[in-house]
Amino acid sequence: MTVHELSRTEARRIAVRAQLLDAVRPEGLLDVVRGLTLLQIDPTAAIAPNAELVAWSRLGSAHPADEVGEGLEQRTLLELQAMIRPAEDLALYRAEMAEWPERGTPSSWREHHRAWVAANDACRRDLLDRLRAEGPLPSRALPDTCAKPWRSSGWTNNRNVTKLLELMVQRGEVAVAGRRGGDRLWDLAERVYPDTPPVPVEEALRVRDQRRLRALGIARARGPECQVEPADVGAAGEEAVVEGVRGRWRVDPARLGQPFEGRAALLSPFDRLVHDRKRTVELFEYEYQLEMYKPAARRRWGYFALPILYGDRLVGKLDAGADRRAGVLSVHAVHEDVPFSAAMRAEIGQEIEDLARWLGLDLALPS
């Protein structure tokens, strides 16, 4: 079998085109979500909610700021384990729900989840009964009758109802029916999900690997176990090596030899182009850390700096914040990893202006 030999430039262009960040913009939100396979939900909204910001990076200000929410309300999109996916993709997860405990989690955690849910089976049935009678409901409106508390060193410690509901999502019993403010509204899965027959597990996993590779363009065949969405793609695609990068890759053959025209783009820190930081260093030679958890004095680029893409290179970071009360998008700094040419500065400036326009905020630039 042929092993494709790629330069770093070719590999980067494959990745950028696959992530719908080249000069040819997608036609609409559903095309974006289908092409990327998912939009990640994250509560941080220093600029905008992540799912909306990722969509804006592809569509520009023609994309209404509340369009993701509308897609969820109309059920063309679904929220599944903190990811927004096309509703038709649920068929690829139904069979896996039926054979719970979940895949993609270390085996010790799977057994822990199984035992904890079994110990709280009476509470699980209480939740189903209450949702059947009164749903959709926020978690705080549901009774905590757990016999065994959820123990964690993190923020989920003793959040029994929330944790049980999230595991019941994995079992296919409940679903997020919408949101009220920042609160998830829970209901029976049968009242939220489309009535589509499941794709058998092994076939579904194969298709999901293929779609993930199509969305990434180039990825590792194997990687560390990750919850919800793996970083690797299994046997999908064809084998490749990248000049100057150690190891073997998998590449989507449909992406090979395609013409490339780039543009400027501002990315969420959770954008899938940069989500795998190791891949970002290997292919783009770009260093990035989300610094919101660092003390202000130790930050190099800012609280929620946006990676800046120009063509097939990641060239800097935008330190900005949205103050909605003041009605201002404040740009604190534009960090140049490489010196910007006049053309780069102009195009990146246009993207910053478009971001402010999309947010409906005035733009305040550093003096």
Side-chain angles (χ1 to χ4, degrees), residues 277 287-291 294 300-302 305:
R277 304 294 194 232
E287 182 186 0
Y288 181 84
Q289 284 185 331
L290 180 59
E291 297 182 312
K294 287 185 176 183
R300 290 179 291 172
W301 306 308

Side-chain angles (χ1 to χ4, degrees), residues 271-325:
D271 196 289
R272 293 325 255 196
L273 187 71
V274 297
H275 189 268
D276 182 341
R277 304 294 194 232
K278 184 174 185 290
R279 174 180 179 264
T280 304
V281 170
E282 289 176 325
L283 298 186
F284 290 87
E285 301 173 280
Y286 179 78
E287 182 186 0
Y288 181 84
Q289 284 185 331
L290 180 59
E291 297 182 312
M292 58 188 288
Y293 302 110
K294 287 185 176 183
R298 294 179 56 195
R299 294 174 190 148
R300 290 179 291 172
W301 306 308
Y303 176 83
F304 197 75
L306 306 186
I308 300 173
L309 176 72
Y310 188 80
D312 61 28
R313 299 302 302 264
L314 291 161
V315 296
K317 292 96 176 170
L318 171 69
D319 179 11
D323 185 340
R324 288 168 178 80
R325 288 187 178 181

Side-chain angles (χ1 to χ4, degrees), residues 318-334:
L318 171 69
D319 179 11
D323 185 340
R324 288 168 178 80
R325 288 187 178 181
V328 172
L329 174 67
S330 296
V331 173
H332 308 304
V334 179

Side-chain angles (χ1 to χ4, degrees), residues 44-49 53 304 306 318 320-322 324 329 355 358-359 361:
T44 308
I47 301 291
L53 186 56
F304 197 75
L306 306 186
L318 171 69
R324 288 168 178 80
L329 174 67
L355 177 59
W358 174 67
L359 293 168
L361 302 176

